[in-house]
Amino acid sequence: MRQLRFDDGTPVTAASGVAPLGEGWLVVQDDSVIAAWRHDDRVLPVRVLPPVEGHDVFSSAAGTKHLKPDLEVACPAEVDGEPAVLLLGSGSSPRRMRGVLVRLVDGEPVVQAAELGPVYARVAERLGLPMDHVNLEGASRHGGTVRWFNRGNLMGGVRSASVDVPLEALVAAVLGRGEADAVPVERPLEYELGEVEGVGLAVTDAIALPGGRVLLSAAAEDTPNAVDDGPVVATAIALLDGERVLAVAPIPEVDGHVHKVEGLALRGVEGDTVRLLAVVDDDDPTTPAAELDLRVELGQNSFEKSTSG
């Protein structure tokens, strides 16, 4: 486990997504409008949105949590054929329905953002949910399609679910080259991930594997709604094939502590071994976010006992 700090020593907090950017990784913070670009042994700040009512960082203690854009997804994308990262808000309030594209121009990050409210409304419609049950926390990329995952909350009677959205249409909407209300939202799916100590596991991020299967990170967080944090009793990795949950394995505790993995990126696949970079949000603004290296063995009868950090 490695703690994440900016070069000036300021902690990276509430890491909620990670995706490749250039020769490094872009880590998004769900409590900030500043992302962290880790490359060449440096961690540099990247402003992805303007301040909200003068604030760059948001917290319950400061009474500003309701203002945060709550960026939860970091997904590989392209702009005009060049690599980029697509960031998406959770949609759990009207302030949290923005999309952001980060790309490199002459080695420097360039950012564009847009409101995507109509897309979130269509997601809620396709999943048959009221808007206050929308909490889109993860996405996996399947060629030209983004599979966008709603976290769900079994306490509230909402299963984890997903929809498929064309990546090109999402990118066009963020760049202002297309209309948000024209973005198609298709193929709603639901997932039964099980529970731990009576608390349902719910998806926090996803990554696509070669061949189309998906690995999910999931957390059993004891909270009654899509906005408030609660104690996390366990975390897990789940293997999906379409809507079928093939296997679920616990993520081992580190130093006796359950860490809530909120972001996944694919480092590589060698045979049945998948190597992941995971980022952790412990819902504690005083604790630096951490990176974990995870290895998942997909071989027959090995998945449940081989996930390791």
Side-chain angles (χ1 to χ4, degrees), residues 72-73 88-91 120 123 127 129 133-142 145-152 159-165 187-191 193 202-208 212-217 238-245 264:
E72 290 283 358
V73 167
L88 295 165
S90 68
Y120 288 85
V123 171
L127 292 177
L129 296 174
H133 283 247
V134 172
N135 188 17
L136 294 155
E137 293 232 353
S140 56
R141 178 177 175 181
H142 304 258
T145 299
V146 174
R147 184 156 297 158
W148 204 0
F149 287 84
N150 194 58
R151 184 167 174 179
R159 287 187 178 184
S160 291
S162 69
V163 292
D164 285 0
V165 183
R187 202 186 179 210
L189 298 174
E190 288 190 343
Y191 308 94
L193 301 176
V203 61
T204 58
D205 203 7
I207 196 79
R213 291 187 297 177
V214 173
L215 284 174
L216 295 182
S217 57
L239 178 65
L240 306 183
D241 186 356
E243 61 187 326
R244 292 191 302 137
V245 180
L264 294 176

Side-chain angles (χ1 to χ4, degrees), residues 4-8 10-19 21 25-39 42-50 56-58 69 71-74 85-88 100-103 109-111:
L4 284 168
R5 293 184 180 273
F6 292 103
D7 283 4
D8 65 1
T10 304
V12 177
T13 58
S16 56
V18 57
L21 180 65
W25 305 93
L26 187 71
V27 179
V28 64
Q29 306 177 93
D30 72 20
D31 66 349
S32 177
V33 294
I34 308 295
W37 184 27
R38 183 173 73 73
H39 70 109
R42 304 191 67 190
V43 181
L44 302 176
V46 176
R47 177 175 290 281
V48 293
L49 287 169
D56 284 342
V57 180
F58 313 92
L71 295 171
E72 290 283 358
V73 167
V85 179
L86 174 65
L87 310 178
L88 295 165
V100 180
L101 281 162
V102 184
R103 52 186 162 144
V110 172
V111 177

Side-chain angles (χ1 to χ4, degrees), residues 170-205:
L170 269 177
V171 168
V174 175
L175 295 177
R177 301 173 182 175
E179 298 297 327
D181 59 9
V183 176
V185 177
E186 305 294 344
R187 202 186 179 210
L189 298 174
E190 288 190 343
Y191 308 94
E192 179 53 67
L193 301 176
E195 59 184 49
V196 180
E197 297 179 15
V199 181
L201 284 164
V203 61
T204 58
D205 203 7

Side-chain angles (χ1 to χ4, degrees), residues 45 69 90 116 125 130 152 168 170 206 212 254 273 277:
S90 68
L116 299 178
E125 178 185 0
E168 185 176 358
L170 269 177
V254 179
T273 301
L277 174 65

Side-chain angles (χ1 to χ4, degrees), residues 276-296:
L276 301 171
L277 174 65
V279 294
V280 170
D281 175 7
D282 283 329
D283 294 327
D284 181 353
T286 66
T287 301
E291 293 179 334
L292 300 174
D293 292 316
L294 299 180
R295 187 185 73 253
V296 182

